[in-house]
Every structure is written in structure tokens, then in C-alpha cells.
Amino acid sequence: MAITGRQATTVTSILYLLGLTVVAAYAMHTIRQDSLPIPLALAAFTLALPPIAGLSLESTTALSSRDSTKGRSFRTNTSFLVAMTVLCVYETAIATLAGTHIAPVGGLRCGLEEQWAGLFHARKAKRIRRIQDAFQCCGLLGVKDRAFPFPDKEHGNDACVQVYGWQKSCLESWRAEERTVATLLLLVPLLVFLWKVDQIQMSEQITVLTTHKIIIISAPSERPLWLSRLLRLPQTNRDAEHGSQRRALEYQPVGEPYSDNPVTEEAEEEVLEENRAVRGNSQLASRVQPSALLGEAHEWSGQTAHE
């Protein structure tokens, strides 16, 4: 059976988070092994971060995919934002605490001295010897500074040098180991954060491709476009209802003059009828003769006057 892209992504994420978990487990083991002044609680929270991040993101993504088809996006978005906010605070806290064991370098000496002093006063010979064996050193600040074997009636301060022959103190090597482990603890939340961002982007792309469709809707414009103002377009239904004429350029046949006011056939017939009527009236007026009755009336009025 062919492996889908979603399955490949899931397998890759599991292996990625598993690798980060192994890194955090190694850091936690080194802290215990070399008695580093790094809280085990910090290592434990770092160890738990990758699986928590994976389960949280997977559950919220599955919930979002399921609820997107039911129209309950508000609840899904709220739970997703809450989960991502908690994870960001979680990652920030781990990264900040881990950074305090990386820099400044001079400030790390106090923690190392307190840790060594506690081991020495508690007579933790096994743990101090493990540190000296790991880095092949004697004492903390010097080869005679609270080194194992502890001074007693049979051993002096230089017993470590005499027994093992190591000629360097453990401060520099122990501090370098602390910084290395703290760097691993810092990388785990940073890499988890980058993975989380990448997974969110991929999830959004898949959601868009699978649950959304791009629909292009074409609707008539209320106002004609600038091109329709220059070229006369076919008359629309709105124009037919209102009987409006568009003032526009027309393509006139060769030899005919340009007209900015296009005249329809009906209007042209009306103009011709009016011209015929005017010509008929003018011809009728030219044929009118003085009436004979008007002349007789003048003659009668003259005779009356003579009488």
C-alpha cells in the first residue's frame, strides 16, 4: 500500500520528536552522572516537552479538521490558541532557565563551587570520584582543593595527584560540561518550536486545499466601464426598461457625417413627417388669393358714403 503525504509527515514528526526526546534524556543522564548544578526538574520538563507538543498539536489539528465540517470553528480556534499559548510559555520557560547555565561564563563558577562544596561536606566520595574520573582532574579550584581521596590520617591534600597522577583541576572541564548540557536543553524547546510552526503551516495548507473552494462570481456592474462609454455596447435590460440611449461613439459608414446624437428610425420618420407638413403649409399659403367678398364690401361702403 502506498504511503500518503499525511502518513509520511506523521512518521517524520514522530521520528523527529523521538530524537529530541533522546537528546533530552541524554542531557538528564549527564546531569545525574556528572553531578552538574542543573536542576533535574528542568531536565525532566525538557524530556516531557516533545511528546507533549506532539500530542497537543495532533489533537488540536484533528479537532480542527473534524469541527470545520460542522461549523464549530470558534470552539476549535479557541482550544487551538490556548494549547499553542501554553506550549509557547512552556518552551520559553525551559529555554530561559537553560540559558542561565550557559552565560555568563564567570557567573557559573558560583553554582559549581556550591555543588562541589555540598558534595564534599556530605562526604559524597563516589560522586566526586566520578567527576574526577570523567575529566581526569583533581579537586575543584586546584589539585589540592577538596579532592578525592579526602584528607585523613593516611592521605594528605595531594593524595589525588599521588594516586592518579592528574595535574589539573576540575573547574574548567566541569563548567564546559555544564554549558554543553545546558545547550542541549536549550536546543530542544527551540527545535520543538520550529517543528510546531512548520506543522501549523502545513496543516493550514492542507485545510485550505481540502475544505475550501475558490469561486469566482461575475456580477453586472452598476455603472458602465470606461470602455463601454467609448464603444457602444448592446442595449441591456435596464436600458430597455427605461428607454435610455447611451451617448457613445458609433462606427458610421464611409461618407456619412459623424453624429454625437444617434437618431433612431422612428425619430427620423417623425422628422420627415414634420418637414412634409411644413412644406405643405408653405405651398398652401402661397396659393391664397384675396376674397371677392372683401372687394364688394369695400365698394358697398363707398356707395354708402356718397349717399
Side-chain angles (χ1 to χ4, degrees):
M1 182 178 63
I3 299 177
T4 63
R6 179 64 178 174
Q7 293 175 345
T9 302
T10 302
V11 172
T12 304
S13 298
I14 292 175
L15 294 177
Y16 180 85
L17 296 176
L18 183 60
L20 294 180
T21 304
V22 171
V23 172
Y26 170 77
M28 186 174 183
H29 170 73
T30 305
I31 292 173
R32 295 174 59 92
Q33 183 72 17
D34 297 338
S35 301
L36 297 174
I38 299 177
L40 285 175
L42 176 59
F45 282 116
T46 306
L47 179 64
L49 176 60
I52 289 176
L55 293 176
S56 299
L57 187 59
E58 182 64 24
S59 60
T60 53
T61 302
L63 183 63
S64 177
S65 300
R66 185 185 64 184
D67 290 351
S68 61
T69 60
K70 300 180 181 180
R72 295 181 296 182
S73 59
F74 176 77
R75 179 174 64 84
T76 302
N77 291 337
T78 302
S79 61
F80 179 79
L81 290 176
V82 170
M84 294 303 102
T85 301
V86 172
L87 282 178
C88 285
V89 173
Y90 190 174
E91 295 160 356
T92 303
I94 293 177
T96 303
L97 294 175
T100 59
H101 295 275
I102 299 176
V105 178
L108 302 179
R109 179 171 176 173
C110 294
L112 293 171
E113 288 183 356
E114 291 178 1
Q115 182 77 354
W116 190 283
L119 296 175
F120 181 79
H121 292 299
R123 294 296 174 175
K124 301 290 184 179
K126 186 175 180 180
R127 296 177 65 179
I128 292 179
R129 181 179 178 179
R130 188 183 301 132
I131 296 172
Q132 295 181 160
D133 291 343
F135 304 108
Q136 296 182 357
C137 57
C138 293
L140 178 63
L141 302 179
V143 293
K144 297 181 180 181
D145 180 31
R146 294 165 290 185
F148 176 84
F150 299 143
D152 54 17
K153 297 180 179 179
E154 298 180 358
H155 302 88
N157 294 336
D158 58 347
C160 178
V161 178
Q162 294 178 2
V163 173
Y164 301 105
W166 297 323
Q167 300 295 328
K168 67 175 183 178
S169 63
C170 299
L171 178 61
E172 295 299 329
S173 300
W174 202 29
R175 180 164 55 187
E177 185 70 6
E178 179 186 7
R179 298 185 66 193
T180 301
V181 173
T183 301
L184 295 178
L185 296 178
L186 176 62
L187 286 177
V188 170
L190 291 179
L191 294 178
V192 169
F193 175 79
L194 294 178
W195 169 83
K196 182 178 63 178
V197 172
D198 180 70
Q199 291 298 309
I200 292 174
Q201 292 178 350
M202 292 181 62
S203 176
E204 290 178 352
Q205 293 176 358
I206 294 174
T207 302
V208 169
L209 292 176
T210 57
T211 63
H212 293 79
K213 295 181 180 179
I214 301 175
I215 302 176
I216 301 176
I217 301 176
S218 176
S221 176
E222 293 292 335
R223 298 179 61 184
L225 300 177
W226 65 271
L227 184 59
S228 64
R229 297 178 183 177
L230 298 178
L231 301 177
R232 182 170 180 169
L233 301 177
Q235 194 174 17
T236 60
N237 294 333
R238 179 173 295 187
D239 295 336
E241 293 176 359
H242 297 281
S244 61
Q245 294 287 340
R246 294 185 179 181
R247 294 175 57 88
L249 295 178
E250 293 182 315
Y251 291 102
Q252 300 292 341
V254 179
E256 294 186 7
Y258 162 77
S259 174
D260 191 46
N261 296 315
V263 181
T264 61
E265 294 181 359
E266 294 80 0
E268 184 176 1
E269 291 295 334
E270 293 179 0
V271 173
L272 293 177
E273 291 294 335
E274 291 179 358
N275 290 339
R276 293 192 189 101
V278 172
R279 285 197 298 269
N281 292 335
S282 62
Q283 292 176 0
L284 180 61
S286 63
R287 297 175 182 174
V288 174
Q289 299 293 334
S291 176
L293 295 177
L294 293 176
E296 293 178 358
H298 287 294
E299 293 177 359
W300 181 79
S301 60
Q303 292 176 1
T304 305
H306 286 296
E307 292 179 357

